[in-house]
Amino acid sequence: MKPDQKTIDPAILVIFGITGDLSKRKLLPAIYHLFKDDLIPKETVILGLTRQDLTEKDILSNVELCINEEDGICDKAALKKVEDSLKVIQIDLSKMGEFKKLKSALDYLDKKAKVKMNHLFYMSVPPKVTENIVSELGKHGLNKENSRLLIEKPFGYELNSAKHLIKSMSAYFHESQIYRIDHYLAKETVQNILIFRRNNIFENIWDSKHIDSIAITAYEKIDVEGRKDFYEQTGALIDIIQSHLIQLLSVVTLDMPAEIKSESIHKARLKALESLKPISDSLVPKLSIRGQYTGYKKEVGNHNSFIETFAAIRLSSSTKRWHQTKFILRTGKALHEKYTEIKVVFKPNREDLEHNYLIFRIQPHEGIKLKLIIKEPGFNKKTKNATLNLNYLEENIDVKHPDAYERVIIDVFRADHTLFSTSHEILASWKTLDNIVKSWKASDNGLLEYKKGSHGPVTDQLY
Ligand code: BG6
């Protein structure tokens, strides 16, 4: 289905790091689908920047554009559109003066286009490089009102570096030009949570009086897959919890605004994030668990590494609505199974009754489950658990929804900020986690080892 129309103006999408993993696995396949479904204007230009001497053909021969096609069949017309739209220039960002090349390429493409083009700069590069690129763009006058920045996380490495990054970007770009990507917020089921919460039967019991815990889990089967430099600088807490999971938590716990509009959603998300209590130093050991899979040190070539590949934490809120509910966020690499879900556990009316719970399954097999207690059929009075299961596939709900990166790109084309994080949201999430980050950086105390393919460290102590 076509996105709700806000104007989708033609643009030059400049990809810094076109040969990188993200570009190959996510961006270029997303662009292929957007062309296939006629969702981006035909004048769109993809301008790929690389240090290497590569042609457009070289780049495309290294990418599986149709990787997300369910039937595996590539659409020839869409492939041609990608080929025609892609231009590559060789540019070494570490050298002075190289940005002039980019400026002239953009001037040339602007003149050639018969319509006014926006400039969308996608930073598919390590975070340390992003800051420099952004200031060079500014210094070269590439920060005019038709320019937008797409930034990948991590947005800083702790509170201070996040503050610094935000400040240095704001020297050249206005907040409304910056799109901080959180691709989890762009997942279809996540957006559905806001709509689901409009069902009054749940909204009326959406508080600490009725909900014991909300556990958000994002487990992965893959290990760090060669992203050793990135991972050695981040780890599971920063890579997934500080960004994706804490944002999911804000969506689940926010006070529903009357209208689902970008500004009101941002306000409500910020309020939810700001109400999370920072974990104090003394509580770090009690409220957090970290682990590293066996073999990680060898894989990254750092025998002293105590970067965590598994992280679980418990947070709480200072609001009246949520003050007694436990918020548990867990993530890990190289585990038994890949799944992301949000489990809302309700309090039983009586001690001897079991908990009801509601699960939002985000991936794979997206759907919503409600666990209820029913009577076992027969003469006895025994009860059993039964599950009401809304399985998108079985219900024939169109599961061919856009991939999160398609959504991200479209929203930047049409300047819709709803699914992106504001600088205030970023700072609020860092404030909550800053002490854990610092304490985990300081020593390997409490770092648990777990086997690849296992369930990871036990997290019962957090409940
Ligand atoms: C990214 C992380 O943001 O999300 C990766 O940097 C992780 O480490 C990925 O593998 C998971 O995304 P998804 O959409 O496959 O759950």
Side-chain angles (χ1 to χ4, degrees):
M1 203 200 283
K2 289 223 175 206
D4 308 335
Q5 204 61 34
K6 270 196 180 177
T7 35
I8 301 188
D9 293 325
I12 303 171
L13 177 62
V14 182
I15 304 181
F16 287 88
I18 184 102
T19 55
D21 197 48
L22 177 74
S23 160
K24 284 199 273 193
R25 282 195 307 133
K26 304 275 190 184
L27 297 183
L28 291 168
I31 291 165
Y32 155 86
H33 278 279
L34 294 174
F35 272 127
K36 181 179 166 195
D37 298 337
D38 271 334
L39 294 176
I40 46 177
K42 58 181 187 327
E43 297 87 355
T44 304
V45 179
I46 313 299
L47 183 60
L49 309 187
T50 169
R51 245 190 305 192
Q52 305 166 53
D53 183 10
L54 295 173
T55 62
E56 288 76 15
K57 244 191 172 161
D58 296 331
I59 303 277
L60 291 178
S61 63
N62 246 319
V63 182
E64 277 185 74
L65 287 177
C66 315
I67 196 161
N68 296 331
E69 288 285 15
E70 271 164 22
D71 54 10
I73 299 171
C74 293
D75 182 284
K76 285 200 177 128
L79 287 178
K80 174 93 174 58
K81 283 186 190 165
V82 179
E83 274 165 33
D84 292 347
S85 71
L86 181 66
K87 312 279 170 260
V88 174
I89 53 175
Q90 191 181 4
I91 187 165
D92 185 346
L93 300 170
S94 61
K95 285 194 188 144
M96 291 289 282
E98 289 279 281
F99 269 81
K100 284 192 190 134
K101 273 195 201 167
L102 171 62
K103 181 147 174 34
S104 355
L106 286 171
D107 287 346
Y108 169 78
L109 291 168
D110 277 340
K111 272 195 201 123
K112 206 172 138 207
K114 301 209 169 53
V115 287
K116 187 171 184 301
M117 301 290 260
N118 285 325
H119 297 165
L120 317 180
F121 297 106
Y122 201 122
M123 307 294 158
S124 180
V125 286
K128 294 228 153 111
V129 189
T130 300
E131 194 178 337
N132 182 41
I133 296 180
V134 173
S135 63
E136 287 298 321
L137 289 174
K139 286 179 197 154
H140 286 80
L142 293 171
N143 55 346
K144 306 251 160 63
E145 90 291 345
N146 68 333
S147 303
R148 294 173 199 160
L149 291 178
L150 287 92
I151 315 273
E152 281 285 343
K153 63 175 181 58
F155 312 113
Y157 293 94
E158 28 66 50
L159 183 58
N160 280 336
S161 60
K163 279 185 184 161
H164 170 81
L165 194 63
I166 288 168
K167 198 168 162 210
S168 76
M169 288 192 184
S170 69
Y172 294 103
F173 287 85
H174 188 262
E175 179 73 12
S176 63
Q177 293 175 286
I178 304 176
Y179 295 77
R180 296 177 191 86
I181 299 164
D182 189 312
H183 80 280
Y184 268 52
L185 285 183
K187 288 183 189 279
E188 191 70 20
T189 332
V190 174
Q191 292 168 58
N192 198 10
I193 292 170
L194 288 177
I195 307 297
F196 181 89
R197 288 192 46 196
R198 293 205 150 171
N199 292 302
N200 272 338
I201 46 167
F202 290 107
E203 197 56 19
N204 291 338
I205 52 168
W206 213 246
D207 54 27
S208 275
K209 193 169 165 218
H210 302 94
I211 294 178
D212 180 57
S213 67
I214 298 177
I216 308 187
T217 304
Y219 281 176
E220 294 187 278
K221 259 178 125 163
I222 54 168
D223 56 26
V224 296
E225 289 195 310
R227 295 160 76 212
K228 57 180 185 181
D229 293 338
F230 170 83
Y231 216 76
E232 277 286 279
Q233 286 171 30
T234 50
L237 183 71
I238 297 180
D239 186 30
I240 301 279
I241 293 186
Q242 188 273 331
S243 47
H244 305 321
L245 300 197
I246 210 159
Q247 279 291 1
L248 292 193
L249 180 64
S250 74
V251 172
V252 180
T253 58
L254 55 73
D255 291 339
M256 276 303 279
E259 278 183 304
I260 302 196
K261 278 193 167 166
S262 178
E263 222 174 276
S264 39
I265 291 291
H266 278 295
K267 246 188 176 170
R269 280 209 316 245
L270 180 62
K271 192 175 158 222
L273 290 170
E274 283 182 333
S275 70
L276 292 173
K277 291 190 196 160
I279 296 187
S280 66
D281 285 337
S282 59
L283 284 178
V284 170
K286 186 171 167 224
L287 300 181
S288 69
I289 294 168
R290 60 176 161 160
Q292 188 188 73
Y293 62 76
T294 317
Y296 172 82
K297 291 183 175 57
K298 201 166 169 211
E299 214 173 299
V300 299
N302 176 6
H303 293 285
N304 297 318
S305 174
F306 45 87
I307 284 290
E308 77 288 353
T309 56
F310 180 99
I313 61 169
R314 185 170 111 198
L315 297 175
S316 56
S317 164
S318 55
T319 57
K320 195 165 164 236
R321 181 177 195 168
W322 290 116
H323 69 292
Q324 282 179 345
T325 303
K326 293 163 253 173
F327 301 146
I328 290 140
L329 310 182
R330 307 185 298 172
T331 187
K333 296 256 185 215
L335 296 171
H336 63 297
E337 195 186 347
K338 161 136 183 131
Y339 72 93
T340 306
E341 70 176 29
I342 300 172
K343 183 171 177 182
V344 179
V345 179
F346 293 92
K347 291 178 178 168
N349 282 344
R350 280 194 343 236
E351 290 272 304
D352 58 326
L353 289 178
E354 285 203 44
H355 295 266
N356 296 112
Y357 57 75
L358 179 67
I359 293 181
F360 298 97
R361 182 79 172 198
I362 291 163
Q363 59 185 14
H365 316 304
E366 47 269 83
I368 299 172
K369 276 185 190 174
L370 179 63
K371 198 191 95 174
L372 300 168
I373 305 161
I374 58 164
K375 183 185 158 312
E376 248 186 23
F379 294 110
N380 61 39
K381 290 188 187 119
K382 273 195 191 150
T383 59
K384 65 179 234 160
N385 295 325
T387 311
L388 272 183
N389 199 351
L390 170 65
N391 181 305
Y392 282 29
L393 261 179
E394 280 169 18
E395 285 299 314
N396 236 344
I397 294 173
D398 184 9
V399 279
K400 263 188 81 238
H401 42 240
D403 170 74
Y405 274 89
E406 291 172 43
R407 178 77 202 224
V408 162
I409 295 170
I410 276 290
D411 281 354
V412 179
F413 264 82
R414 60 180 176 167
D416 183 340
H417 270 90
T418 320
L419 303 178
F420 298 86
S421 314
T422 63
S423 56
H424 295 298
E425 286 168 27
I426 300 292
L427 292 179
S429 57
W430 275 121
K431 274 182 200 145
T432 310
L433 301 179
D434 212 37
N435 287 334
I436 310 185
V437 176
K438 285 185 181 142
S439 137
W440 285 7
K441 257 191 199 153
S443 84
D444 64 355
N445 270 353
L447 181 71
L448 305 166
E449 193 174 327
Y450 64 95
K451 277 200 186 125
K452 274 189 166 188
S454 70
H455 285 65
V458 177
T459 54
D460 294 357
Q461 80 172 61
L462 300 180
Y463 285 84

